Amino acid sequence: MRDLSSYPAEPFRIKVVEVPKMLDRPEREKAIVEAGYNTFLLNSEDCYIDLLTDSGTTAMSDQQWAGLMVGDEAYGGSKNWYHLKAAVQEYYGFEYVTPTHQGRGAENLLSTLMIEEGQYVPMNMYFTTTRYHQEKNGATFVDVIIDEGHDSTAKDVPFKGNIDIAKLEKLVAEVGAEKIAYICLAVTVNLAGGQPVSMQNMKDVRAFADKHGIKVFSDATRCVENAYFIKKREKGYENKTIKEILKETMSYFDGCTMSGKKDCLVNIGGFLAMNDEDLYNRSRELVVVYEGMPSYGGMAGRDMEAMAIGIKESVDYNYIEHRVEQVAYLADRLLDAGVPIVEPAGGHAVFLDAKRFLPHLTQDDFPAQSLAAALYVEGGVRAMERGIISAGRDKITGDHHRPELELVRLTIPRRVYTYKHMDVIADAVIRLYEKRDEIKGLEFVYEPPMLRFFNARFKIK
């Protein structure tokens, strides 16, 4: 593990505090049973350290809170909308912006507008809601991430989120370019462990797409984290600013979907951005049906103001360095104790490798779900399953999708926890690892037909 002094200090002062509840072990055991061993169904106040997600859990800055007070809640043409649009244009470079209530609203718009029945959407690994919207609109998702993206032990690969161009070529050769709705490139790749994509890979994907007349859209949810990895790992970018890298990143896409609840540093909101005027006009019509007016899209004026400010704050190097390196600190603590995780550590979370953590459980025992539940009982730490439960079932065969990666995501909210909190998390995981043989598998009590990880309930086998 790196010496503690090599990790950057928190680049902020704490102005407001929230006092969490600290349940004792018997209370936590009762709580997880009542939640059906699904950490999504726990009450947030019963979690001492909440690592369920980094989506909407950011601590906003004093400037963002001040921005809330100048919210213009006009139904059309809010001044805060113009501030948000200008921020997206300046930092992301897209001409047109359609606001949405959060990222999946943007996914819905893009999928509805771009997909025709029977088409394919290649992407560097699936994400749950993204794939759902694609399939709901008649497309078939195709995973085109490099093979190393599915290997938690491939620690010497700096950009495990890259798209494999050969896989794209194979797909186009098999189905034809006209059957590709668009290429979706996520930066970073959540379910691979928060893994980044290189700038060179984006250039290669863009060149491939131009050759075949295919559009390329980015899931840009954690694009600032991706920009940081490019600065640290890709030759030629070490002296570029995060803002410059982000702007170049987006220049290789026809548009992007954004969940502002991550790298835009807010608690709600998102957008669909693009350069195609016709697509923009059609999105303006559709957003009225699903979200709200084209000048607020499901957000309050105050939320748009906070996002505009957050976009500017997100490219500050001191902020993003601390954000990513705090994750690295937790990863190093666990690696030093021999705990199996996805390597190298990603930008927003440490992912425990449940297959290697619990080798006595088969994938049909739902090891990641079991491990997430056990971690809550052990330390009051709420995490999230990212394995066979999240992957869902094949809509044709009815069998589980069986991803290579069976993970528990320890997702670090932005500007919320300190290094001491990382120590508490690490100590709980290490204690659990030392008695891992005691952890039992789970089985369904209730299985929802779609996106089952949100509401499923389990019992111990």
Side-chain angles (χ1 to χ4, degrees):
M1 187 177 70
R2 285 161 48 184
D3 182 75
L4 180 60
S5 62
S6 70
Y7 293 92
E10 285 80 3
F12 52 80
R13 289 193 291 255
I14 297 170
K15 185 174 291 188
V16 177
V17 297
E18 175 187 357
V19 180
K21 184 191 293 185
M22 300 176 70
L23 301 183
D24 59 26
R25 189 182 185 95
E27 290 174 316
R28 296 196 298 270
E29 290 173 342
K30 179 182 177 183
I32 199 66
V33 170
E34 291 177 348
Y37 294 90
N38 186 345
T39 53
F40 273 96
L41 302 180
L42 289 165
N43 294 331
S44 65
E45 67 176 357
D46 292 338
C47 304
Y48 171 50
I49 297 178
D50 198 342
L51 309 183
L52 186 69
T53 183
D54 63 330
S55 179
T57 57
T58 294
M60 292 199 302
S61 71
D62 55 352
Q63 294 301 306
Q64 288 177 292
W65 278 101
L68 296 180
M69 301 308 296
V70 294
D72 173 7
E73 307 308 337
Y75 193 71
S78 164
K79 66 180 181 182
N80 311 116
W81 154 239
Y82 293 108
H83 296 165
L84 174 58
K85 182 171 70 169
V88 175
Q89 290 171 334
E90 177 181 354
Y91 289 88
Y92 290 80
F94 295 110
E95 185 173 357
Y96 303 111
V97 187
T98 301
T100 60
H101 76 284
Q102 62 181 73
R104 68 195 58 172
E107 292 171 353
N108 179 43
L109 294 181
L110 181 64
S111 298
T112 302
L113 292 167
M114 292 292 295
I115 292 172
E116 296 178 3
E117 184 76 31
Q119 288 188 312
Y120 297 81
V121 180
M123 183 175 177
N124 50 343
M125 197 173 286
Y126 83 98
F127 184 68
T128 51
T129 58
T130 311
R131 187 178 70 185
Y132 172 79
H133 285 297
Q134 292 164 355
E135 293 178 344
K136 179 176 179 290
N137 284 279
T140 298
F141 160 80
V142 181
D143 188 358
V144 291
I145 198 170
I146 60 174
D147 290 342
E148 292 88 344
H150 293 281
D151 183 355
S152 67
T153 66
K155 62 182 178 181
D156 296 324
V157 182
F159 293 100
K160 288 170 69 173
N162 282 357
I163 279 181
D164 188 329
I165 301 298
K167 292 180 181 179
L168 277 180
E169 291 174 340
K170 182 175 183 290
L171 177 64
V172 170
E174 290 175 350
V175 306
E178 70 281 356
K179 296 288 285 185
I180 308 299
Y182 57 92
I183 298 168
C184 187
L185 200 164
V187 288
T188 58
V189 184
N190 188 348
L191 297 188
Q195 300 299 320
V197 177
S198 71
M199 195 73 82
Q200 184 59 53
N201 189 244
M202 295 181 225
K203 295 177 184 178
D204 293 343
V205 171
R206 179 76 265 172
F208 174 89
D210 288 344
K211 176 182 175 182
H212 294 281
I214 301 171
K215 298 288 188 183
V216 187
F217 287 85
S218 176
D219 175 348
T221 293
R222 297 179 179 88
C223 55
V224 179
E225 293 172 13
N226 200 90
Y228 176 80
F229 282 119
I230 288 173
K231 181 176 178 66
K232 301 297 286 188
R233 297 179 181 177
E234 192 162 0
K235 185 177 180 181
Y237 289 91
E238 56 274 6
N239 295 320
K240 297 278 190 180
T241 66
I242 299 297
K243 181 180 180 180
E244 290 170 334
I245 296 170
L246 177 61
K247 193 75 168 285
E248 181 179 345
T249 293
M250 292 299 135
S251 73
Y252 299 116
F253 300 109
D254 294 290
C256 75
T257 58
M258 168 58 78
S259 172
K261 298 166 68 176
K262 285 87 166 177
D263 272 1
C264 295
L265 306 182
V266 288
N267 305 129
I268 197 67
F271 58 80
L272 171 64
M274 68 223 86
N275 288 319
D276 185 294
E277 185 176 9
D278 177 65
L279 180 63
Y280 171 61
N281 287 333
R282 290 191 293 134
S283 74
R284 281 171 57 88
E285 296 172 6
L286 200 60
V287 78
V288 176
V289 178
Y290 291 110
E291 301 282 327
M293 283 287 288
S295 59
Y296 73 86
M299 281 187 282
R302 54 184 175 269
D303 296 320
M304 291 190 286
E305 189 69 25
M307 186 185 290
I309 296 168
I311 287 172
K312 179 180 179 179
E313 292 180 352
S314 72
V315 299
D316 175 71
Y317 181 78
N318 291 328
Y319 152 72
I320 192 61
E321 179 194 31
H322 172 267
R323 193 280 185 283
V324 176
E325 295 302 327
Q326 188 181 52
V327 174
Y329 173 83
L330 175 57
D332 285 346
R333 279 280 333 261
L334 296 176
L335 287 170
D336 194 49
V339 176
I341 67 171
V342 173
E343 298 181 74
H348 70 292
V350 174
F351 288 72
L352 305 178
D353 187 336
K355 283 186 178 179
R356 290 189 288 147
F357 200 114
L358 302 175
H360 61 287
L361 299 183
T362 70
Q363 198 166 27
D364 287 319
D365 293 319
F366 308 150
Q369 191 75 39
S370 301
L371 181 54
L375 179 59
Y376 172 73
V377 172
E378 181 63 34
V381 177
R382 175 159 67 166
M384 179 196 292
E385 181 270 357
R386 278 303 187 216
I388 191 171
I389 302 300
S390 291
R393 291 186 182 271
D394 186 295
K395 63 182 180 181
I396 297 174
T397 68
D399 191 16
H400 301 292
H401 287 297
R402 299 177 184 276
E404 286 296 317
L405 296 174
E406 183 73 19
L407 309 174
V408 172
R409 191 179 77 179
L410 308 176
T411 332
I412 311 303
R414 296 162 182 80
R415 305 190 292 204
V416 172
Y417 294 117
T418 66
Y419 284 108
K420 186 59 181 176
H421 287 108
M422 299 302 107
D423 286 333
V424 172
I425 298 161
D427 291 343
V429 173
I430 292 167
R431 289 195 307 271
L432 202 56
Y433 188 60
E434 290 171 349
K435 53 185 177 182
R436 55 194 178 276
D437 293 343
E438 299 175 12
I439 298 176
K440 296 179 173 63
L442 299 173
E443 61 184 3
F444 278 113
V445 172
Y446 167 66
E447 180 183 358
M450 61 187 69
L451 297 175
R452 60 189 184 179
F453 60 95
F454 284 121
N455 291 304
R457 301 183 73 86
F458 307 87
K459 66 178 181 180
I460 294 177
K461 280 190 170 181

